[in-house]
Structures are given as structure tokens and as C-alpha cells.
Amino acid sequence: FTSFLHLLGTSEEVTPPVQQCFMVPRKEINMVSDMAKWKRSQAYADYMGFILTLNEGVRGKKLTCEYKVSEPIEKLVALLNTLDRWIDETPPVDQPSRFGNKAFRTWYAKLDQEAEKLVSAVIPKHLADAAPEVAVYLKESVGNSTRIDYGTGHEAAFAAFLCCLCKIGVLRVDDQMAIVFKVFNRYLEVMRKLQKTYRMEPAGSQGVWGLDDFQFLPFIWGSSQLIDHPSLEPRHFVDEKVVNENHKDFMFLECILFITEMKTGPFAEHSNQLWNISAVPSWSKVNQGLIRMYKAECLEKFPVIQHFKFGSLLPIQPVTS
């Protein structure tokens, strides 16, 4: 994959992008045989390029390190803070079933209604036409309101949302670390709160054979953060003390902490795949393995990708370059 960097403007550039016809993204993957179109698409190349560019951008860096925070980044955090506030304003309802609290639908309806307005507050006036297209990815990124579930396909929609903001020039090269550490990390916090508050079901869970019930990307970027760490090795992440002392610096350990809060019993039993990963000798091997696993288990799985939407920014058309 070519680096996504060529698509990101540097901060010196202020030329607005070429006049583009934006469109409301739609489903294109309707049958298993359509998966070949997805893998050849410009959308797949750009999405994967974006993930890998950020993977390099956070390599060896702590969540708590210093990095540039631009105005669009601040606005995205404010958007996520709004979603968080709405959770507080929409408490779970009393219902017979334990999982899938119906109050999530009320919360979601608010996002559905306000998404374009929220996105318009993040993008400059001259790009106002892009808001309906970009807002679709935001709406898709928080879970399914019918099934009250959440999974890696929803997470991918949030990455696609950020990718689109890069493609229209709102986010730039020097925003890389802030995209992961400030925006994506805040997104994770809000999603964890949604999962806990409304007892959301994992979407398309593979049970103990999956990496995690809900997320994947923070394990990829989080393992990159730990590459060449002087003392923390993969075997250490199953050690409770290590996790408690270092989770504020590393996304990977923050994920482990959340799993141990949500699940009971021996780690090797409830999170078998992660337990196996703790035996891998180096973080760079873990990182490469997770990227391969992400492609195979998420991006190449029809049940996940059938929900992905394609527009002018992430087109279904085959790669041109």
C-alpha cells in the first residue's frame, strides 16, 4: 500500500481541493461475490493506507507525549463530548432483557437527526457540501440501533469518517498523532460508555476466537506504540500490575484493562487470541500479525463489509494509481 501521506495536505497548503461532486454514500457489497470489487477499490486502498500511515505515525509514542493539536482536532473532540453528554441525558430504561437496552435507540435517533449539523461544525464553510457524505460515516460508527449491537464494522466506519476528513483537507499530515491519541482515543471512551450503559451486544462476535468483542484498531495502533519499548514486552500485558501502571500511556493496555473489567474468569479462557499473542516475542511481530489478522478477520469478511458505504471520497471504483 502506498502511504496515505500523499493524500494529506501539509499545513502550509491552503488551496481548497478540486471542486468535487459529493454524494450520500451507499451500500455496494450485496453478495459474497462483490467482495472482489471491495478489495480492488480505491476505498480499500485509501482506507488501508490511512490505517497504516497512522500505524507508523504513533510508533514508539506514548498517549501522554506532546503533539500538535489543531483546531479541527479540538472540534472533533467537542463533537465526541456532545455524544458523551447525550448518554448522560438518556439513561437506560427498565426492561425485561438484560442486554440491548432500548434507550440506545433514543440516543441514536438524536445522533441520526443531528449528525450533519455536528459534522458541519467541524468542516470549513467552503466544504459545507461534504457534510452529508461525511456524516453518514459518523452515524454508522456508533452501532446498530435495530439490533443494539456494536462491532469492528462500526469501528471501521469511524476510521472511514476520519479518512474522509483527511481527503477533504480538514485533517493534515501533522495531525497524525492527534488523530489517534486525541480523537480516536476519545471515540473509544465514548464507545465503551455506550457498550456499558446500554449493554450492547457484540456484532458478529466470534466469541473466544475473536480478538475482542468490540474493537480491533486500538490493538494495531497500540502495539505500534509499544515497538522498541525498553522494558515492556508482549508477555507483560497479561500481568495485572503492569496494566494498572501503564494503561494511561498505551492504548493496547487500556483495551486489556477494559476487557478485564467487563469479563470474569481466567484471561486465557475469555480472551484466548490475546493470550496467544502474549507469547509473541516482539511488539513489531505482534503489530504485523494484527495487521494481517485485521485484513483477514474484518476487512475480508462479508458480514462486516456488506454494511460499508461508498461515496465520492471512498469510491467503489477500482484503484486508479
Side-chain angles (χ1 to χ4, degrees):
F1 286 92
T2 48
S3 164
F4 192 78
L5 288 168
H6 69 283
L7 293 166
L8 290 169
T10 54
S11 35
E12 286 72 64
E13 290 172 30
V14 273
T15 47
V18 195
Q19 271 303 259
Q20 184 160 6
C21 288
F22 296 106
M23 60 177 276
V24 175
R26 55 172 188 249
K27 263 169 70 89
E28 299 278 0
I29 308 297
N30 300 307
M31 311 182 277
V32 176
S33 56
D34 292 335
M35 289 295 283
K37 270 198 303 197
W38 154 241
K39 288 189 67 184
R40 283 196 300 268
S41 71
Q42 190 64 50
Y44 182 84
D46 287 348
Y47 179 84
M48 208 55 223
F50 179 66
I51 299 300
L52 296 176
T53 297
L54 294 176
N55 189 55
E56 281 308 303
V58 300
R59 189 182 171 125
K61 308 277 201 310
K62 290 181 176 181
L63 284 168
T64 47
C65 74
E66 299 243 319
Y67 50 83
K68 174 181 169 281
V69 179
S70 63
E71 195 186 348
I73 293 285
E74 294 284 15
K75 287 176 171 176
L76 282 166
V77 172
L79 181 159
L80 291 164
N81 291 344
T82 300
L83 301 190
D84 191 331
R85 193 183 74 244
W86 290 348
I87 302 174
D88 297 334
E89 292 166 5
T90 319
V93 294
D94 276 338
Q95 61 176 45
S97 67
R98 233 175 92 214
F99 286 95
N101 194 283
K102 290 181 179 62
F104 175 71
R105 293 181 182 147
T106 311
W107 179 89
Y108 184 86
K110 189 155 190 165
L111 172 61
D112 195 33
Q113 209 180 337
E114 303 283 330
E116 267 182 54
K117 206 158 80 185
L118 290 171
V119 171
S120 297
V122 175
I123 61 183
K125 291 281 177 283
H126 71 272
L127 289 168
D129 291 354
E133 176 162 348
V134 178
V136 167
Y137 295 103
L138 178 65
K139 288 192 283 195
E140 296 278 317
S141 73
V142 297
N144 181 287
S145 66
T146 311
R147 295 188 302 272
I148 314 181
D149 66 3
Y150 175 92
T152 48
H154 302 109
E155 177 190 70
F158 191 75
F161 166 68
L162 296 172
C163 181
C164 288
L165 291 174
C166 288
K167 290 194 80 170
I168 59 174
V170 172
L171 298 172
R172 298 173 179 278
V173 167
D174 48 4
D175 288 318
Q176 278 183 83
M177 284 168 69
I179 289 172
V180 179
F181 292 170
K182 211 156 175 68
V183 180
F184 192 80
N185 207 40
R186 184 71 186 105
Y187 164 74
L188 284 178
E189 290 169 359
V190 178
M191 291 309 106
R192 287 176 183 141
K193 187 166 168 177
L194 277 181
Q195 289 152 21
K196 268 184 174 163
T197 307
Y198 303 122
R199 303 296 302 264
M200 296 176 79
E201 300 267 14
S205 168
Q206 294 158 315
V208 295
W209 304 113
L211 183 70
D212 176 76
D213 281 344
F214 298 110
Q215 313 297 156
F216 204 114
L217 292 173
F219 292 97
I220 295 179
W221 295 331
S223 59
S224 181
Q225 281 186 279
L226 284 154
I227 290 173
D228 298 329
H229 191 283
S231 59
L232 290 180
E233 294 171 29
R235 65 192 169 92
H236 291 122
F237 77 73
V238 290
D239 179 336
E240 204 178 322
K241 187 169 175 285
V242 171
V243 172
N244 288 333
E245 286 170 9
N246 297 282
H247 70 92
K248 287 193 165 63
D249 283 326
F250 300 104
M251 216 170 227
F252 196 101
L253 302 182
E254 195 70 73
C255 289
I256 300 295
L257 185 71
F258 184 67
I259 291 171
T260 53
E261 279 173 10
M262 298 296 278
K263 296 193 166 183
T264 51
F267 192 88
E269 285 175 24
H270 64 61
S271 301
N272 192 262
Q273 280 282 23
L274 282 166
W275 178 259
N276 293 338
I277 287 169
S278 71
V280 175
S282 72
W283 285 111
S284 61
K285 283 252 186 314
V286 169
N287 186 247
Q288 290 159 8
L290 286 172
I291 289 165
R292 281 197 304 273
M293 186 178 173
Y294 184 59
K295 288 179 189 168
E297 297 303 321
C298 300
L299 301 185
E300 291 171 16
K301 287 281 188 277
F302 175 72
V304 177
I305 296 304
Q306 63 173 330
H307 303 292
F308 197 90
K309 296 193 171 156
F310 301 84
S312 73
L313 296 168
L314 289 170
I316 189 70
Q317 280 72 32
V319 176
T320 43
S321 53

